[in-house]
Amino acid sequence: MTAKRGAGGMAQFIDRRLNPRDKSLGNRQRFLRRTRAEVRRAVDKAVAERTIADAANGGAVSIPTDGVGEPQFHLSRDSGERERVLPGNKDFVAGDRIEKPKGGGGSGRRASDSGDGEDPFSFALSEAEFLDILFEDLELPDLVKASLKDVSQREFRRAGYTNDGATPNLAVLRTMRASMSRRLALRRPTAAGIEQLEAELAALRAETEPGVADQLRIAELYAEIERLKRLQRAIPFIDPIDVRYNRFTPTIVPRAKAVMFCLMDVSASMGEREKDLAKRFFILLHLFLKRKYARVDIVFIRHTHEAAEVDEQEFFYGRGTGGTAVSSALKTMIAVRDKRYPAADWNVYCAQASDGDNSASDTQVSVGLLREAILPQIQYYAYIEIADEDGGQRYGGGGDKDLWRGYAQLKPAAPNFALARVVGRDDIYPVLRELFAKPARKGAAQ
Amino acid sequence: MTRADPAQDAAPTRGGLLFDGAEWDFATVRRVYEAIERIACDELGLDVFPNQVEIISAEQMLDAYSSVGMPLMYAHWSYGKRFVRDEALYRRGYQALAYEIVINSNPCISYCMEENTMAMQTLVIAHAAFGHNHFFKNNYLFQQWTDPAGILDYLDFAKRYVASCEERHGLELVETTLDAAHALMGQGVFRYRRAAKLKLGDYERRLRERQEREAQDYCDLWRTVPSGAPARENSISEEEARERKRRLRLPEENLLYFLEKNSPTLRSWQRELLRIVRNLAQYFYPQRQTKLMNEGCATFVHYTIVNRLYEKGLISEGALMEILHSHANVVAQFDFDDPNFGGINPYALGFAMMQDIKRICVLPTAEDREWLPDIAGRQDWPAVLRDVWANYRDESFVRQFLSPYLMRKFRLFALSDKASESSYRVEAIHDSEGYRRVRSSLADSYDVGAGEPDIQVVDVDLLGDRELVLRHTSRKGVSLAETGREATLRHVRRLWGYDVRLEDAPAP
């Protein structure tokens, strides 16, 4: 073992497995930034195709190759002459002719070189990246984005003191207390004690005719002060063993269950755009609930003049015909809630999307239902009225729609009721703003 | 080899197995390394850089992949693109990761994956830490063109420099410059002229000194002094323009070098970025010219070493079988008509040629004596192979050492492909009339320079609109591909700052 081997010298063996793994993160972000527009289209498509509960799970997206090409000068494959050597000759002899495969392509090998493939470039987005792009559309504030992406269910709680920790967690009072008891126990001279002796010394030396006793006392004081100062230097004011830190332990935050009712008007006036907006509205609410509650059920209720509980596919893509009676949906919701989701066990959230058309008489019924039966037993009720792309111009300067007018009366008395008119994606978040405001404030206060 | 005996006596594990089972730990890896080193240095006479073996996880291997195999690299979106692609392929199981990556640096760094079994780690150490390492240290191309002691420092500098440029000038501007430089990487190497050897280690210091000197020498007063030039401008003659062209040393094949030195519009930090890309292209150029030999050397070394380990009773039959199974996968060569065929496998041909040279040294046939008289029957095959590894590149290696025996074994044939004809023609096969043609044709195909477009800067209209003229000289009538041509030219224009024209010149 002692003999040094050859020219190789000493070999080193290094375990790098614990090194940071995300060395490529910066490059990955640069890549996403460059392909932003394409990735965004891909995310839009994914949102449209997925269910509400899966919408935000990240996953594979494909983008066209145009934006990510790296051009170079190449030699063309179909001009001039070239010669190649191939292995595995079976029965050729010199001079044989072999027909070229039809459809051009030069050498007949399937082209797989980068640059000329028409296949879209496909890769996987992480959940965080996916949400980033989704949220960008919805114009969520940063704090909300951060809290929505935080999937950890743990919270750090104060739990006594510890002997080691990070400087910001220093527990000053505890540290001083430990320091003081140690100083007392070791009889560290106090600054005041020394000052007193020094004052006495000064007084004695100031006397014009010191006696013998005074002389002796002066010598004694010198020695004593020297001894005390030495002692003071030897026993530090704060010793590393005094230092205490606040201790935090991760605690699992108890999470209950919630149910989310999605109510939507599916009469003919709700087109693709309207449904897409509604879907984003539901996704956002679902994300919020998923973060807050361990279990989230989703109930889909669609209505025309009559309502029915349906599955998600039917909810978004089925077509109903008939008039419009919002109260039918509310009644169905109350029935489902009473049967399956008693308010004692479940946190109930409700999100309603509509184009706002309803008959005046039914609006009165609906408002009554909300006031009496729904709002008192619900965490949050959010209503969006999806307006035309021209921003509701068609009302002229004139009146709001019936449903809006009816709902607006409820607002002052019900803090858990939110309503908004939505034209584009960026209008969605304000409807749910209050929902997100609470945890955000709590986060800020910590 | 004279030292072999005492070394064997000193081995504490003599007669016993070095390891048993699939699990590995650092103590075992070290023991195996020492046993391999004994064979590599004493029996094969390999001469290697000090080794640094690093164990990494699969994610880290993916990271290393995307930054062209280097442990550190400047930031660029294209590396992110490579990462997301490789990751998608890997996660879906379309592509397995390499067992190892090895870097031409001093000390020589090789990465081994933690998933490997102990038998695989043995293979990887023999392959990378001794095979590739010896090749890096001794091959003339690497000795001439690369600076293994300085490369890591240089990459570190490049990384920090690009980051500081991004901070000062913004991501977009840096990205545009790097995009353009990357597009010209193929035209960013010196192929024939030998540049001054890179002293990458000193590089950063020299750059700093140069900048400091410029800052000190700068005097704002000079700006206000009227220059004498404008008065004479009209009288500049054609003759003087030609003189300036000569001073620009045209024609120039290294486009990146030319633009870095002569672009009228680039800022100094942009020139520095071009230099970084150019230096990297030059650093990788020897690897591209020696892929066949490099892999052949490493594969031959691991094959020889693991067999010796088994003969010495240091590894079990099971471990040997596992290694040989993996070895057989690596050196598989599919026939041209097999759906899996993807060209000639450099591991297969390289390994076969090294084995063949050993055979010719030890047991030459009459044919070998006729074709390779210099090495036939020279019993000292390790010395012959060391000489081959040091003094050839793929093209000259094939031209010199591909034996008729191997051409028969691979059943090689040469196929010519003329665009003007509707069929290919078999020019030569593995028979006595065809050997030379097949060998020379295969050697040509390993000439990296010939496989790339020959584009040179030939003229700059300095008097007029400063248009830069590039000339593509085609060989055997092969023209430039249309795909990417315009986009790449746009990149050249961006770097030059004025119009750029690319003309085609027929070969003389």
Side-chain angles (χ1 to χ4, degrees):
Chain A
M1 286 291 126
T2 48
K4 201 175 172 205
R5 313 289 330 163
M10 289 304 285
Q12 294 234 46
F13 297 86
I14 300 175
D15 191 352
R16 290 265 185 234
R17 285 170 294 176
L18 296 177
N19 280 24
R21 273 146 206 254
D22 283 330
K23 248 162 69 174
S24 297
L25 201 63
N27 290 329
R28 198 186 160 102
Q29 283 164 346
R30 281 176 175 76
F31 171 69
L32 286 179
R33 187 176 58 77
R34 194 182 170 97
T35 54
R36 187 113 241 162
E38 281 93 356
V39 173
R40 221 155 138 175
R41 266 195 292 281
V43 166
D44 266 6
K45 206 163 142 248
V47 166
E49 284 167 357
R50 292 177 187 179
T51 65
I52 286 181
D54 293 338
N57 283 347
V61 294
S62 296
I63 59 173
T65 33
D66 313 346
V68 293
E70 295 170 81
Q72 292 211 314
F73 290 126
H74 292 290
L75 288 177
S76 106
R77 292 232 185 112
D78 35 42
S79 64
E81 30 187 285
R82 55 183 59 69
E83 192 164 310
R84 12 182 350 202
V85 172
L86 298 167
N89 183 14
K90 305 292 185 309
D91 45 17
F92 297 142
V93 293
D96 277 1
R97 291 246 167 210
I98 306 163
E99 279 301 303
K100 289 184 184 177
K102 294 213 169 58
S107 61
R109 188 154 61 100
R110 265 185 301 163
S112 60
D113 289 358
S114 61
D116 51 31
E118 279 105 36
D119 294 344
F121 185 84
S122 105
F123 61 98
L125 283 176
S126 74
E127 187 172 339
E129 287 163 345
F130 194 93
L131 287 180
D132 259 336
I133 293 161
L134 185 70
F135 291 165
E136 198 169 278
D137 265 356
L138 298 171
E139 303 214 338
L140 296 195
D142 288 344
L143 206 59
V144 172
K145 283 186 200 167
S147 66
L148 272 184
K149 279 191 286 184
D150 178 23
V151 288
S152 81
Q153 306 165 17
R154 295 183 310 170
E155 208 170 69
F156 282 88
R157 295 252 166 91
R158 278 284 297 275
Y161 300 93
T162 166
N163 289 337
D164 39 36
T167 324
N169 294 337
L170 185 73
V172 179
L173 275 177
R174 282 285 163 153
T175 303
M176 293 312 288
R177 198 156 95 185
S179 149
M180 191 167 179
S181 53
R182 181 182 49 80
R183 279 181 277 129
L184 286 176
L186 294 176
R187 296 179 192 282
R188 185 181 192 269
T190 59
I194 295 175
E195 267 170 33
Q196 201 186 338
L197 294 179
E198 277 174 340
E200 194 187 332
L201 178 67
L204 284 172
R205 291 187 59 178
E207 271 182 41
T208 42
E209 294 172 23
V212 179
D214 288 340
Q215 298 277 20
L216 281 175
R217 179 64 183 153
I218 285 175
E220 199 182 297
L221 281 175
Y222 265 122
E224 180 65 5
I225 289 172
E226 187 54 33
R227 189 184 71 84
L228 290 180
K229 283 194 169 164
R230 210 167 49 235
L231 209 55
Q232 209 177 25
R233 277 196 300 275
I235 304 169
F237 189 80
I238 293 182
D239 191 273
I241 62 167
D242 303 333
V243 180
R244 297 289 180 277
Y245 298 90
N246 291 324
R247 180 183 145 112
F248 294 89
T249 48
T251 327
I252 304 292
V253 181
R255 303 210 297 176
K257 42 194 181 172
V259 59
M260 165 178 163
F261 288 92
C262 303
L263 273 51
M264 187 163 68
D265 180 359
V266 292
S267 56
S269 53
M270 292 285 280
E272 281 301 312
R273 183 187 77 91
E274 285 78 8
K275 282 184 177 172
D276 179 62
L277 282 174
K279 189 166 185 181
R280 277 162 203 272
F281 169 61
F282 296 136
I283 286 173
L284 193 57
L285 179 62
H286 181 259
L287 274 173
F288 167 77
L289 296 177
K290 202 172 78 177
R291 180 178 127 269
K292 201 166 173 202
Y293 299 101
R295 178 177 164 195
V296 181
D297 280 13
I298 309 178
V299 177
F300 296 98
I301 296 170
R302 63 170 200 161
H303 71 91
T304 51
H305 64 281
E306 54 188 15
E309 186 187 345
V310 293
D311 61 17
E312 187 169 345
Q313 183 65 23
E314 188 67 20
F315 185 72
F316 283 111
Y317 303 107
R319 276 227 174 260
T321 48
T324 306
V326 172
S327 63
S328 65
L330 297 179
K331 279 178 194 150
T332 310
M333 182 228 151
I334 293 169
V336 171
R337 185 193 65 191
D338 291 349
K339 194 170 154 214
R340 304 205 314 251
Y341 302 103
D345 299 341
W346 292 81
N347 295 290
V348 180
Y349 289 79
C350 192
Q352 184 191 355
S354 164
D355 57 6
D357 290 325
N358 203 21
S359 68
S361 61
D362 187 69
T363 300
Q364 283 317 308
V365 179
S366 303
V367 169
L369 279 171
L370 271 169
R371 184 184 289 133
E372 303 303 328
I374 297 177
L375 289 179
Q377 296 190 47
I378 204 166
Q379 298 292 321
Y380 202 73
Y381 194 104
Y383 167 70
I384 56 168
E385 179 185 302
I386 299 172
D388 275 354
E389 265 166 307
D390 52 13
Q393 282 296 87
R394 70 174 173 165
Y395 312 129
D400 295 322
K401 291 199 175 182
D402 276 329
L403 198 59
W404 181 273
R405 236 174 319 173
Y407 277 9
Q409 314 160 16
L410 288 167
K411 180 70 190 136
N416 56 349
F417 185 73
L419 74 168
R421 199 171 276 139
V422 171
V423 179
R425 291 170 180 179
D426 48 340
D427 296 329
I428 292 175
Y429 167 67
V431 195
L432 302 169
R433 192 196 313 261
E434 278 161 61
L435 267 185
F436 294 106
K438 239 185 256 169
R441 259 206 306 278
K442 188 176 151 223
Q446 271 180 351
Chain B
M1 253 169 296
T2 48
R3 294 171 52 191
D5 285 338
Q8 270 176 349
D9 290 340
T13 47
R14 189 174 187 186
L17 294 178
L18 286 167
F19 60 89
D20 203 8
E23 292 300 311
W24 62 268
D25 57 49
F26 279 94
T28 318
V29 169
R30 182 174 284 279
R31 250 193 346 269
V32 167
Y33 176 90
E34 278 158 6
I36 290 173
E37 187 178 39
R38 222 162 281 139
I39 298 169
C41 298
D42 298 342
E43 298 182 22
L44 297 178
L46 300 189
D47 166 29
V48 294
F49 291 124
N51 269 305
Q52 184 167 321
V53 179
E54 306 195 354
I55 308 287
I56 60 174
S57 63
E59 284 101 329
Q60 289 166 326
M61 187 60 103
L62 274 173
D63 277 342
Y65 261 38
S66 54
S67 52
V68 286
M70 302 307 283
L72 63 173
M73 199 55 176
Y74 57 83
H76 188 255
W77 66 271
S78 63
Y79 304 133
K81 167 186 162 184
R82 237 144 271 160
F83 181 80
V84 296
R85 188 194 53 205
D86 290 341
E87 190 189 27
L89 290 175
Y90 174 62
R91 300 253 180 261
R92 279 187 248 154
Y94 290 156
Q95 176 184 307
L97 293 177
Y99 300 121
E100 45 74 34
I101 285 184
V102 58
I103 294 157
N104 169 26
S105 61
N106 182 9
C108 175
I109 299 175
S110 36
Y111 293 125
C112 300
M113 287 247 279
E114 64 170 338
E115 276 99 294
N116 293 349
T117 62
M118 190 57 231
M120 286 309 300
Q121 304 289 31
T122 308
L123 168 68
V124 165
I125 289 172
H127 182 89
F130 289 94
H132 283 305
N133 190 345
H134 172 84
F135 197 82
F136 288 149
K137 189 175 176 187
N138 294 280
N139 185 267
Y140 79 107
L141 280 177
F142 287 87
Q143 286 182 348
Q144 266 182 23
W145 292 97
T146 69
D147 175 16
I151 183 66
L152 294 184
D153 284 342
Y154 186 70
L155 285 175
D156 183 47
F157 155 75
K159 189 179 170 182
R160 281 185 286 116
Y161 191 83
V162 170
S164 77
C165 285
E166 284 180 343
E167 232 165 70
R168 252 179 287 161
H169 311 287
L171 286 179
E172 303 246 334
L173 217 49
V174 174
E175 193 170 288
T176 320
T177 311
L178 283 177
D179 282 357
H182 283 186
L184 296 177
M185 245 178 147
Q187 284 74 42
V189 290
F190 293 111
R191 291 193 174 81
Y192 310 104
R193 173 147 68 93
R194 187 171 160 210
K197 192 172 173 180
L198 294 172
K199 278 281 175 282
L200 297 174
D202 292 343
Y203 193 78
E204 193 177 4
R205 187 181 51 76
R206 274 189 11 231
L207 171 72
R208 208 173 41 242
E209 281 172 5
R210 196 163 63 227
Q211 285 172 340
E212 277 165 10
R213 199 168 52 242
E214 276 167 14
Q216 273 172 5
D217 292 350
Y218 178 73
C219 178
D220 198 44
L221 207 59
W222 291 113
R223 200 167 45 81
T224 63
V225 178
S227 77
R232 290 191 60 242
E233 192 153 16
N234 293 336
S235 65
I236 292 180
S237 65
E238 292 286 313
E239 190 55 41
E240 280 175 294
R242 225 168 287 146
E243 175 56 31
R244 279 176 78 172
K245 229 167 75 180
R246 259 197 296 279
R247 240 181 285 146
L248 290 173
R249 294 207 190 116
L250 297 178
E252 169 62 63
E253 55 156 354
N254 191 332
L255 300 195
L256 276 181
Y257 175 80
F258 179 84
L259 290 167
E260 172 199 323
K261 298 295 177 209
N262 300 308
S263 163
T265 52
L266 288 183
R267 313 256 300 275
S268 68
W269 62 270
Q270 290 175 305
R271 292 180 208 277
E272 192 63 44
L273 292 184
L274 258 56
R275 198 169 330 178
I276 286 171
V277 173
R278 181 166 67 78
N279 280 339
L280 282 179
Q282 196 74 59
Y283 170 82
F284 285 118
Y285 194 53
Q287 310 213 0
R288 290 166 51 209
Q289 296 181 75
T290 56
K291 175 110 179 119
L292 174 76
M293 289 189 74
N294 208 337
E295 295 303 352
C297 166
T299 308
F300 176 84
V301 165
H302 83 230
Y303 181 79
T304 311
I305 286 178
V306 296
N307 276 300
R308 283 292 296 142
L309 285 174
Y310 176 68
E311 282 163 27
K312 288 164 94 176
L314 295 173
I315 60 173
S316 67
E317 192 164 22
L320 182 73
M321 281 309 176
E322 186 186 341
I323 291 171
L324 290 184
H325 175 74
S326 168
H327 170 86
N329 284 338
V330 167
V331 300
Q333 174 64 61
F334 296 102
D335 284 354
F336 77 99
D337 50 0
D338 190 295
N340 288 316
F341 177 68
I344 290 181
N345 177 356
Y347 291 86
L349 184 61
F351 174 67
M353 285 182 70
M354 302 305 168
Q355 286 285 77
D356 197 41
I357 289 173
K358 179 180 171 185
R359 178 191 64 79
I360 293 168
C361 288
V362 181
L363 282 172
T365 61
E367 183 186 53
D368 295 325
R369 287 190 193 281
E370 184 196 330
W371 281 73
L372 295 153
D374 286 351
I375 60 166
R378 276 186 54 183
Q379 295 300 316
D380 188 11
W381 56 268
V384 171
L385 281 172
R386 285 200 305 273
D387 180 63
V388 170
W389 293 335
N391 297 311
Y392 291 83
R393 60 174 190 154
D394 288 352
E395 176 261 330
S396 54
F397 172 62
V398 168
R399 213 177 288 284
Q400 188 74 29
F401 294 105
L402 185 66
S403 71
Y405 167 76
L406 266 195
M407 285 185 255
R408 288 194 297 273
K409 196 175 156 202
F410 277 80
R411 307 184 74 81
L412 295 178
F413 64 105
L415 199 63
S416 73
D417 172 8
K418 289 181 185 158
S420 53
E421 293 173 1
S422 65
S423 59
Y424 306 114
R425 182 169 191 275
V426 177
E427 296 293 342
I429 63 162
H430 52 277
D431 57 17
S432 51
E433 292 83 51
Y435 289 142
R436 280 176 207 284
R437 173 76 181 255
V438 169
R439 186 170 71 176
S440 134
S441 175
L442 184 63
D444 287 344
S445 74
Y446 282 104
D447 184 356
V448 171
E452 284 175 347
D454 173 6
I455 296 173
Q456 303 188 7
V457 181
V458 288
D459 199 3
V460 186
D461 183 9
L462 288 167
L463 293 178
D465 51 10
R466 292 185 167 177
E467 186 188 52
L468 182 72
V469 184
L470 306 179
R471 180 174 296 154
H472 170 244
T473 309
S474 68
R475 304 180 204 87
K476 293 185 181 170
V478 178
S479 58
L480 272 185
E482 282 307 313
T483 30
R485 175 183 165 135
E486 266 314 304
T488 314
L489 267 180
R490 273 200 296 279
H491 280 309
V492 185
R493 282 187 198 112
R494 209 162 286 149
L495 294 177
W496 178 244
Y498 295 88
D499 205 16
V500 177
R501 182 157 51 91
L502 174 58
E503 57 180 36
D504 287 305

